Amino acid sequence: MTAESTSGTPRPPATRRAPARRVSMADVARLAGVSAQTVSRVSNGHPSVVGSTREQVLDAMRRLGYRPNSAARALKYGEFRTIGVILFTLSTVGNSRTLEAIVDHAAHEGYAITLIPVAVPTQDGVLGAFTRLGELAVDAVIVIMEVHLLDAATMTLPLGIPAVVVDSNGGDRYTVVDTDQADGARQAVRHLLDLGHRTVWHVAGPEDSYAAERRAEAWRDALAEEGLEVPRMWRGDWSADSGYRAGLELADEPGCTAVFAANDQMALGLLRAFHEKGRVVPRDISVVGFDDIPDGTSFIPPLTTVHQDFTEVGRRCVERVLRQVHHRRTKPGTTLVPTRLVVRASTAPPPA
């Protein structure tokens, strides 16, 4: 029976539209005038393809709407070219800048990043993040810890997947990359003592922070080694507001002529508090921070601080985790990236 239209004219029989054929690597190679192997190298981010040829291939991909098949690539080469990153907070300068460096260096090596934030830093939270990353198909994982997890006997990372940990005390069991927190703090204290200050006060970071603990321990040890008084320690939460609150109290301490803040944001809060209290920096009191954030040069006065090389931390994280991906056999251990003191206008000899 033939279907009719509303006007009575017979309709032609319905036909199924053939599904559009997926654009192949060979199609891209023909349009670009190169080999399929060259197209494969470009899609995998291989650095051996010269710039003009790479642009020619990328233009052909755009014109044809070609999208590399990651599953097929994984079956062929044994990897997904993706690194998972687990972290607990992006609110701190160190974490955000370390993540930025990891993304940049991973891209340079032809790898993408899959980010998994963990709201609560617990064993279950970390294991859940590893499970999600496994479902998303990654070759390796970088864990930005910040808090004391791998120090606990109950805290372990899953076996069987290459992993690097940032900012942890787990170097006896895992591959760890971190800034040399202790040496940076010692440089800050030594600088203030060399200027003639009789002791140095400290505004520390949160109690559960590995970095804050290392900086506080180094501050305390540096003073003790010189046989100097170790004054009361103030505790902040990395924010400028917590530094401000500590600074209001420190400004009333008659013997306080030098303060080492565990990060630049808290140092900024100190500068505001001292200004409001009529304590002139650095004439009456010197301030040193930690991190060397770009805005530090715009503080009033420009901030003396400890420079962390976040770019190098990110590079070494990617290098160490890809070494595990490609060679599998690596020993645990901690790699420390050096720090350096950057002297600006917020420090001076103590008042006569």
Side-chain angles (χ1 to χ4, degrees):
M1 181 173 172
T2 303
E4 295 185 359
S5 66
T6 55
S7 63
T9 303
R11 288 195 185 117
T15 58
R16 290 184 179 180
R17 180 177 295 177
R21 184 177 67 87
R22 183 183 180 93
V23 178
S24 70
M25 193 176 294
D27 296 328
V28 176
R30 278 193 295 271
L31 181 60
V34 299
S35 67
Q37 185 180 25
T38 299
V39 175
S40 175
R41 287 174 177 169
V42 171
S43 65
N44 288 318
H46 201 282
S48 65
V49 183
V50 296
S52 59
T53 302
R54 180 183 301 277
E55 287 303 316
Q56 193 173 335
V57 172
L58 291 175
D59 181 63
M61 289 180 176
R62 286 190 290 267
R63 290 169 62 184
L64 293 174
Y66 174 74
R67 297 179 63 187
N69 188 327
S70 59
R73 183 175 61 196
L75 288 173
K76 182 176 181 179
Y77 296 104
E79 57 180 320
F80 295 95
R81 307 291 292 184
T82 302
I83 299 171
V85 176
I86 298 172
L87 84 167
F88 302 112
T89 178
L90 269 173
S91 62
T92 63
V93 170
N95 283 3
S96 60
R97 292 184 64 184
T98 299
L99 176 61
E100 180 182 13
I102 289 171
V103 171
D104 288 344
H105 288 287
H108 179 74
E109 296 295 332
Y111 282 75
I113 292 294
T114 296
L115 179 63
I116 299 292
V118 177
V120 181
T122 63
Q123 173 78 64
D124 290 342
V126 172
L127 291 178
F130 267 85
T131 299
R132 293 197 298 277
L133 285 173
E135 295 169 352
L136 294 171
V138 300
D139 301 301
V141 175
I142 297 173
V143 186
I144 304 177
M145 286 301 234
E146 170 65 22
V147 295
H148 292 288
L149 278 180
L150 293 186
D151 300 340
T154 58
M155 181 63 202
T156 57
L157 297 181
L159 299 175
I161 184 168
V164 165
V165 183
V166 185
D167 196 10
S168 169
N169 197 26
D172 57 332
R173 291 176 288 163
Y174 308 104
T175 299
V176 175
V177 177
D178 192 18
T179 295
D180 194 339
Q181 312 286 350
D183 186 61
R186 283 192 293 268
Q187 290 181 60
V189 175
R190 186 72 262 165
H191 169 66
L192 291 167
L193 295 180
D194 287 345
L195 287 172
H197 296 275
R198 294 185 177 182
T199 191
V200 178
W201 302 66
H202 184 46
V203 180
E207 286 186 276
D208 61 356
S209 166
Y210 170 79
E213 179 193 37
R214 284 291 178 266
R215 295 170 198 179
E217 286 181 354
W219 159 75
R220 191 179 295 109
D221 292 345
L223 293 177
E225 288 168 4
E226 297 296 324
L228 299 174
E229 171 197 359
V230 179
R232 170 192 167 189
M233 184 179 74
W234 265 256
R235 181 75 68 178
D237 60 9
W238 299 131
S239 70
D241 188 58
S242 68
Y244 172 74
R245 292 193 301 269
L248 292 177
E249 297 184 33
L250 283 165
D252 293 331
E253 291 286 344
C256 181
T257 64
V259 183
F260 164 47
N263 78 334
D264 290 349
Q265 292 294 335
M266 292 192 297
L268 174 60
L270 287 171
L271 294 178
R272 177 192 166 196
F274 294 152
H275 173 74
E276 291 183 2
K277 286 282 194 171
R279 300 289 300 275
V280 179
V281 177
R283 186 193 68 190
D284 302 325
I285 189 166
S286 292
V287 177
V288 177
F290 202 112
D291 282 340
D292 192 20
I293 63 175
D295 292 341
T297 56
S298 298
F299 290 3
I300 301 176
L303 184 66
T304 295
T305 186
V306 177
H307 176 81
Q308 291 199 76
D309 192 344
F310 296 108
T311 299
E312 183 62 13
V313 171
R315 187 194 71 79
R316 295 197 189 192
C317 284
V318 173
E319 187 270 331
R320 295 293 190 275
V321 84
L322 291 185
R323 183 185 300 175
Q324 294 180 47
V325 169
H326 298 140
H327 302 289
R328 297 297 175 184
R329 294 182 181 180
T330 57
K331 294 181 179 180
T334 298
T335 298
L336 293 179
V337 176
T339 58
R340 60 182 172 85
L341 184 73
V342 179
V343 179
R344 298 192 181 106
S346 68
T347 53

